[in-house]
């Protein structure tokens, strides 16, 4: 029989609402053939560098893809997903449920590559009825276990975000900044789409907070919107830090390869945070997960959970971990393989 001190931290600390779903902190989008191939090659290269798949690649059938030839594009995306390197996380964004190409997208992509994909991204979700319709299409395509991630892109969708997040098939909620601003018929100026304005306009700020709150309320992952100024690395880094540190997001979109590393850096904990988390989790484990005094502060399982999530984030972003933490993740990987 296992003693409390021998239990893995995940067994003790991740049964609560927060942290029920763990995903890479970066989701990289591309929809043009050359860029999709480049994205998949970069994903494999960085997995070798970091020792883990540190970002998702989402192949785009919707706004990031050319208009016309939707069926041929879905076939291309499917072939690219099937040819991706082993162990890489590849997803596909299909058309919205009310688009004429939605059914064909799902039948082609999920029907042929469903077992290879990590999720399907569903855009322009307005209500839980859209999620239900998408799930029925995935089930009909033989992809009944494939998770859904959804894009919240309108005022109505923000209003329904908590109900959408509650759906068991939904894994993550993303904020669709550009469509959200456009949906206000000019009431939000174009600056609301910019790297700075999206953090200051009250309606945009409210939407971001509602989506993050809805996701966390149901143990799902909130994914932050794009920064379109892809050549401005400082703006990208600042936006990613604010998304992570002020708005409660644990994942963010990239639309250019130059944005991936700034996102990883912004969402990764510092060496000091990693070291403190390891020492506290060690002390907690030795105390059989009872409260302990650490660096003059009293901690219990509520704070242990936070510090363990620091280590989960460090692992997901490929950060160097002390031997004790490496052993925890090696044990978790070994148990997952049985």
């Amino acid at each position: 029989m296992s003693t409390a001190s021998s239990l893995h931290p995940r067994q003790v600390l991740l049964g609560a609402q927060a942290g029920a779903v763990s995903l890479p902190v970066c989701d990289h989008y591309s929809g043009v053939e050359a860029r999709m191939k480049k994205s998949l090659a970069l994903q494999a290269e960085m997995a070798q560098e970091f020792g883990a798949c540190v970002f998702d690649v989402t192949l785009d059938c919707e706004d990031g893809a050319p208009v016309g030839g939707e069926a041929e594009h879905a076939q291309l995306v499917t072939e690219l997903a099937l040819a991706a390197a082993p162990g890489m996380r590849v997803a596909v964004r299909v058309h919205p449920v009310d688009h004429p190409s939605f059914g064909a997208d799902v039948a082609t992509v999920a029907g042929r590559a469903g077992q290879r994909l990590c999720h399907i991204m569903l855009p322009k979700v307005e209500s839980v009825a859209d999620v239900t319709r998408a799930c029925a299409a995935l089930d009909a395509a033989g992809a009944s276990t494939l998770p859904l991630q959804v894009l919240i892109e309108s005022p109505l969708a923000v209003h329904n975000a908590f109900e959408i997040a509650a759906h068991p098939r939904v894994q993550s909620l993303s904020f669709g900044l550009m469509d959200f601003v456009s949906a206000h018929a000019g009431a939000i100026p174009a600056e609301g789409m910019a790297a700075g304005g999206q953090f200051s306009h009250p309606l945009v700020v409210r939407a971001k907070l509602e989506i993050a709150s809805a996701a966390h309320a149901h143990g799902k992952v909130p994914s932050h919107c794009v920064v379109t100024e892809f050549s401005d690395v400082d703006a990208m880094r600042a936006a990613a830090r604010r998304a992570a540190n002020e708005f409660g997001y644990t994942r963010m979109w990239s639309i250019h390869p130059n944005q991936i590393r700034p996102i990883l850096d912004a969402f990764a904990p510092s060496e000091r945070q990693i070291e403190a988390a390891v020492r506290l989790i060690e002390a907690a484990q030795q105390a059989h997960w009872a409260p302990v005094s650490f660096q003059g502060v009293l901690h219990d399982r509520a704070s242990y959970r936070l510090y363990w999530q620091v280590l989960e984030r460090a692992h997901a972003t490929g950060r160097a971990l002390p031997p004790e933490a490496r052993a925890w993740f090696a044990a978790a990987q070994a148990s997952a393989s049985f």
Side-chain angles (χ1 to χ4, degrees):
M1 185 175 185
S2 298
T3 63
S5 60
S6 68
L7 291 173
H8 193 278
R10 283 180 178 169
Q11 294 176 272
V12 179
L13 302 176
L14 291 188
Q17 168 183 20
V21 178
S22 179
L23 298 172
V25 301
C26 181
D27 189 7
H28 180 66
Y29 277 73
S30 54
V32 176
E33 182 174 2
R35 293 173 190 162
M36 291 191 288
K37 290 179 177 178
K38 182 178 179 180
S39 298
L40 292 168
L42 180 61
Q43 183 186 47
E45 291 169 13
M46 289 182 66
Q48 288 290 323
E49 176 186 346
F50 285 94
C53 184
V54 292
F55 67 93
D56 289 354
V57 168
T58 298
L59 307 175
D60 199 359
C61 289
E62 200 216 7
D63 288 350
V67 175
E70 282 81 5
E72 292 79 7
H73 191 78
Q75 293 283 359
L76 169 64
V77 160
T78 301
E79 296 298 337
L80 291 174
L82 290 170
M88 298 299 97
R89 290 179 52 89
V90 182
V92 173
R93 176 164 68 165
V94 297
H95 284 90
V97 294
D98 59 356
H99 190 281
S101 295
F102 168 74
D105 280 355
V106 172
T108 299
V109 176
R112 291 188 54 212
Q115 297 303 312
R116 179 61 188 84
L117 299 176
C118 55
H119 64 268
I120 287 287
M121 170 57 76
L122 184 66
K124 297 178 175 59
V125 172
E126 293 285 281
S127 70
V128 74
D130 292 340
V131 177
T132 301
R133 181 174 171 183
C135 289
L138 288 171
D139 293 348
S144 59
T145 61
L146 190 59
L148 271 176
Q149 297 188 14
V150 301
L151 261 165
I152 306 297
E153 304 181 73
S154 73
L156 179 61
V158 171
H159 176 76
N160 292 327
F162 281 82
E163 185 180 6
I164 293 167
H167 194 286
R169 195 79 167 265
V170 170
Q171 188 180 60
S172 173
L173 272 65
S174 290
F175 178 42
L177 171 67
M178 315 300 283
D179 280 282
F180 178 80
V181 171
S182 298
H184 284 76
I188 301 176
E191 288 78 8
M193 296 181 178
Q198 64 170 280
F199 289 99
S200 60
H201 193 283
L203 284 174
V204 180
V205 168
R206 174 182 172 273
K208 289 188 182 191
L209 294 175
E210 285 290 300
I211 291 165
S213 181
H216 289 301
H218 294 285
K220 310 300 174 65
V221 174
S223 188
H224 194 265
C225 58
V226 300
V227 171
T228 56
E229 298 93 326
F230 61 84
S231 61
D232 190 339
V233 176
D234 290 337
M236 181 67 223
R237 187 175 289 111
R241 285 175 178 162
R242 294 199 69 182
N245 297 330
E246 299 176 33
F247 284 77
Y249 283 80
T250 56
R251 179 169 160 97
M252 187 168 180
W253 282 38
S254 159
I255 54 172
H256 190 279
N258 290 345
Q259 296 182 328
I260 295 171
R261 289 183 188 271
I263 291 173
L264 293 177
D265 290 342
F267 281 82
S270 67
E271 291 183 10
R272 179 185 58 81
Q273 290 172 319
I274 293 170
E275 180 67 21
V278 170
R279 299 305 156 221
L280 178 57
I281 296 300
E282 275 191 312
Q285 201 169 41
Q286 291 166 8
H288 304 277
W289 305 104
V292 301
S293 175
F294 180 74
Q295 297 179 347
V297 178
L298 184 65
H299 291 273
D300 62 14
R301 283 192 292 278
S303 54
Y304 300 159
R305 185 172 298 118
L306 170 65
Y307 282 86
W308 175 252
Q309 287 164 344
V310 168
L311 296 180
E312 291 273 8
R313 185 80 60 81
H315 178 65
T317 50
R319 288 318 187 245
L321 294 173
E324 303 89 337
R326 291 201 301 271
W328 286 324
F329 288 106
Q333 184 174 2
S335 63
S337 65
F338 288 102

